[in-house]
Amino acid sequence: VIDMQVLSFVSSLLAATSSKTRLCQGTYDVEECAASEAALLVGERNAKNVSGTWMKATRRAMSLVELAEAGDTPDAVARLRDTGVIDCLRAGFPSDQWQRSLAALSACVDCLVLNWLERGERFDDLAAQTTLFDAAIFEQRGFVELDDPDLTALARHEPIVTHRANLRQALDAYTSLDVPGCDDDLANHIANELRQQNLLPKIKQSDETTTKDDGKKKNSQRSLGRPRQDLLLNENENSRLTLLGARFSKHRDRSIPPSRTLPASFVAAASLSRLSSVDLC
């Protein structure tokens, strides 16, 4: 026989949660929660000292007894700091039920990733502070482990970032629909958000290439519209030398009598002196 107080508690709990918007992740419902709810798993000090977004995961298929035992305590929580770091992953299952813990935490992480993307933030700016237990959750979602984490973050009271998001790897993971603990619908949603960010560098690069090509066309049109200065100099030089040769020939015929023969050295010296005295303009 179930106590009437338990039934009334369950009915009130279902009524309260039915009005909230939830994301279904397999056997878990995930929704944003207050820091006071997350404090039931992570402690009040860890929950309220840092501003950020909390996600909680609760089992959808629970018996009345499980609902009564769970109370308001979620199965798992995770936080996305305003600085773009996911941390404080906690699950409420016993240690021997680690698979259930991973499933619940994975559901929270996926919803936090989607929350970050829907803000319009760059996926590559996302990071995570992980442990040996939950590091695989992030690596399966396109996060890359850092070789040298910044341990000085402890002195600044900041999380030690162990993983950085990688857009290409995350896009491959979510597009393949092979992310453990992530529903296909949610995976497709996240993949679509990632595709939009993946197209932005290509569009920007295409615009820059088009701008460069337009600049080259304008320069080529300008060069076709006016002759090159060195070509003008060569043409002027050729015309001047032609005029010089004609004038020099006239002077030579008039100054040297045909009956006299002059030494070759004298003729060369006279030619040079006449070249220097002829006006080239």
Side-chain angles (χ1 to χ4, degrees):
V1 180
I2 300 177
D3 190 82
M4 293 301 296
Q5 292 182 351
V6 175
L7 289 177
S8 61
F9 169 75
V10 171
S11 61
S12 62
L13 180 63
L14 292 176
T17 56
S18 61
S19 60
K20 297 181 181 179
T21 302
R22 292 189 169 199
L23 292 174
C24 296
Q25 275 281 74
T27 59
Y28 293 93
D29 290 331
V30 184
E31 62 182 336
E32 187 174 341
C33 67
S36 57
E37 295 181 80
L40 297 174
L41 282 179
V42 301
E44 186 175 352
R45 179 180 178 182
N46 293 329
K48 295 184 177 180
N49 284 350
V50 179
S51 60
T53 302
W54 285 95
M55 289 287 176
K56 70 175 183 178
T58 53
R59 283 166 289 174
R60 283 189 292 167
M62 285 195 293
S63 64
L64 296 178
V65 176
E66 288 176 329
L67 282 172
E69 291 177 352
D72 295 332
T73 304
D75 290 325
V77 295
R79 177 178 58 193
L80 171 61
R81 291 176 178 241
D82 293 338
T83 56
V85 179
I86 299 176
D87 66 347
C88 254
L89 278 71
R90 297 289 189 277
F93 296 102
S95 58
D96 59 339
Q97 300 181 17
W98 57 271
Q99 291 180 335
R100 301 176 70 178
S101 297
L102 285 178
L105 291 174
S106 298
C108 293
V109 170
D110 287 323
C111 292
L112 288 177
V113 169
L114 180 61
N115 181 280
W116 179 257
L117 295 175
E118 289 180 340
R119 297 182 192 178
E121 303 287 350
R122 295 176 65 253
F123 181 74
D124 288 337
D125 293 336
L126 194 58
Q129 180 186 25
T130 68
T131 64
L132 293 176
F133 176 75
D134 54 38
I137 297 176
F138 293 91
E139 292 170 0
Q140 293 163 351
R141 288 158 173 79
F143 285 73
V144 179
E145 184 178 3
L146 300 181
D147 294 331
D148 297 314
D150 185 11
L151 300 181
T152 61
L154 285 175
R156 301 189 300 269
H157 303 285
E158 297 177 357
I160 299 176
V161 174
T162 60
H163 287 71
R164 285 282 181 186
N166 184 281
L167 177 60
R168 299 295 178 85
Q169 295 189 21
L171 184 57
D172 292 340
Y174 283 105
T175 302
S176 64
L177 303 179
D178 193 25
V179 179
C182 184
D183 284 348
D184 291 350
D185 292 338
L186 182 58
N188 283 324
H189 192 176
I190 296 176
N192 289 333
E193 295 286 343
L194 294 174
R195 286 191 193 97
Q196 295 179 10
Q197 294 195 9
N198 191 40
L199 290 175
L200 289 178
K202 296 179 181 179
I203 295 174
K204 184 177 180 181
Q205 184 178 5
S206 177
D207 293 340
E208 292 177 352
T209 304
T210 303
T211 304
K212 291 181 181 179
D213 293 341
D214 292 341
K216 291 180 180 179
K217 289 180 181 179
K218 290 180 180 179
N219 292 334
S220 62
Q221 290 174 358
R222 290 176 183 174
S223 62
L224 290 175
R226 60 180 183 183
R228 289 172 52 185
Q229 191 67 21
D230 55 349
L231 294 178
L232 284 176
L233 292 175
N234 290 337
E235 292 177 358
N236 293 335
E237 184 179 358
N238 291 334
S239 61
R240 289 174 182 175
L241 289 176
T242 303
L243 177 62
L244 175 62
R247 292 182 181 179
F248 175 71
S249 178
K250 185 186 297 184
H251 285 285
R252 185 186 61 182
D253 295 340
R254 189 172 51 191
S255 59
I256 302 176
S259 58
R260 295 182 59 184
T261 302
L262 299 176
S265 59
F266 180 80
V267 173
S271 300
L272 290 175
S273 64
R274 285 193 172 93
L275 279 172
S276 61
S277 63
V278 176
D279 187 9
L280 296 178
C281 299

